[in-house]
Amino acid sequence: HPHSHPRHPGACTMLPLLLLLLPTAHGIVEHVDYVPFLVKTPTLEGLTTASTFVLEQPRCLFNKYSNVDIWLVVALEQTASKFNNSVEPGTPESAFQLFPDPVPAYMTLNATLANYPCPKPNGEITVLRVGSETSCARDMARYSCNGPLPGPGPYKVKFLALKGSKPVAETNWSQPIMLRTAKSPSSITTMDRGHSAGMIALTTILSILFAILLAGLVAMLIFWGSDSCGGSSTFSKPEAVTVRRYNTHHVYDQPAARL
C-alpha cells in the first residue's frame, strides 16, 4: 500500500523470541517422570467399584519443592488432553460438579508434602480412594469434592504440584482406568447357558425325588388309616395295674393258743 509504513526489519525476528519467552512469564512446569497407578495390594478389597478406584499415593515425587500443594487431576480418557494446568483449583473451571461437560478435568484430594512423607513409614497404608465422598457431590460450595465418578470411564489421572496458584510440577497421565459395571441380563444368559442347563437338570431330578418321597408318605398315611378302621390298631389301652395284697405270716399263721 502506498501510504503504509515500512515494517521494521527486526519485527520478524522479535516475534518468535516473544513466543518463546511467553511460557517463562507464566512459569515453567517441570515434568516428573511418574505414572500414577492402581494399588496392587491383593488384600485390599474394592480396588475398583462402580464409582471409585484406589490409587497409590505419590510418595517422594515433589520433595525438591517447598510449600507446595499436591492435587489429583481426574479426567476422562477423551478429555484429558483438554486440561489446562493453569486452571486454579476450587473454581468453577475445575469443579467436580461440572465434570465432564463443560469441565474436562476436575481437581481434588489436595495435600501437602507432610501428608506424603518420604520414605514411607513401615506398615502405613498409602492409598487414595478416588470418588469416596457423597455428601458434597452436588454442593457447589465445594468445587474440589472427591465425589463418586459419574460413569464407567475410562478415566485418566495425574498429580499436579502448585505453589500458591501457580503450577510448578506435574506427573504423566495414568493408563486408562475402567470401573466395574453390572452385567446385563442378556450377557448373563449368553455366558452362563451351560450353567443354566445344568441347574435345570438338577432341579428336575430333585423334583422327581421329592414327588416319590411325597407319594411314599401318602401311601403310609393311607395304610395306617385303614388299619385303624379295621380294629387292628397297634395302639391299645394299657392294662390296669393290680397290686396283690400280702398278709404278714407271723400274724395269721401262728398256732392256736393253748387253753
Side-chain angles (χ1 to χ4, degrees), residues 7-21:
R7 181 174 294 178
H8 192 277
C12 294
T13 306
M14 291 296 294
L15 184 58
L17 290 175
L18 290 174
L19 293 176
L20 289 174
L21 291 175

Side-chain angles (χ1 to χ4, degrees), residues 127-150:
V127 300
L128 297 173
R129 182 171 289 276
V130 183
S132 61
E133 293 184 74
T134 57
S135 59
C136 57
R138 298 185 179 181
D139 185 0
M140 296 302 292
R142 291 189 58 191
Y143 290 130
S144 59
C145 175
N146 180 30
L149 296 162

Side-chain angles (χ1 to χ4, degrees), residues 1-217:
H1 195 278
H3 299 287
S4 61
H5 296 284
R7 181 174 294 178
H8 192 277
C12 294
T13 306
M14 291 296 294
L15 184 58
L17 290 175
L18 290 174
L19 293 176
L20 289 174
L21 291 175
L22 186 60
T24 306
H26 293 282
I28 298 176
V29 179
E30 181 182 358
H31 177 76
V32 178
D33 190 16
Y34 175 84
V35 178
F37 59 94
L38 294 176
V39 173
K40 299 177 182 179
T41 305
T43 57
L44 187 63
E45 296 291 336
L47 297 183
T48 59
T49 67
S51 60
T52 68
F53 57 85
V54 182
L55 293 174
E56 186 71 25
Q57 290 183 2
R59 298 295 182 103
C60 308
L61 297 182
F62 305 105
N63 286 3
K64 62 184 292 185
Y65 302 98
S66 59
N67 300 322
V68 293
D69 292 318
I70 303 168
W71 291 82
L72 178 70
V73 182
V74 183
L76 288 170
E77 183 180 19
Q78 63 267 29
T79 63
S81 60
K82 299 178 183 178
F83 173 69
N84 183 355
N85 60 18
S86 64
V87 172
E88 294 186 18
T91 62
E93 290 76 20
S94 61
F96 164 81
Q97 292 82 4
L98 301 177
F99 173 78
D101 186 22
V103 173
Y106 67 94
M107 301 173 67
T108 186
L109 290 176
N110 61 305
T112 64
L113 289 175
N115 298 118
Y116 300 138
C118 179
K120 179 186 76 173
N122 293 331
E124 183 175 327
I125 298 176
T126 60
V127 300
L128 297 173
R129 182 171 289 276
V130 183
S132 61
E133 293 184 74
T134 57
S135 59
C136 57
R138 298 185 179 181
D139 185 0
M140 296 302 292
R142 291 189 58 191
Y143 290 130
S144 59
C145 175
N146 180 30
L149 296 162
Y155 295 93
K156 283 189 171 185
V157 298
K158 70 176 177 179
F159 293 102
L160 178 65
L162 303 180
K163 179 171 286 190
S165 60
K166 302 297 182 183
V168 294
E170 64 181 358
T171 68
N172 298 315
W173 286 104
S174 69
Q175 295 297 318
I177 300 171
M178 284 295 299
L179 302 184
R180 294 188 178 184
T181 55
K183 292 182 180 179
S184 64
S186 58
S187 66
I188 295 174
T189 302
T190 302
M191 295 176 61
D192 298 336
R193 182 171 298 170
H195 181 67
S196 298
M199 289 297 295
I200 292 173
L202 180 60
T203 303
T204 303
I205 294 172
L206 290 176
S207 300
I208 294 173
L209 293 175
F210 179 75
I212 294 172
L213 178 62
L214 183 61
L217 289 174

Side-chain angles (χ1 to χ4, degrees), residues 240-246:
V241 178
T242 59
V243 179
R244 182 174 296 178
R245 182 175 180 180
Y246 292 93

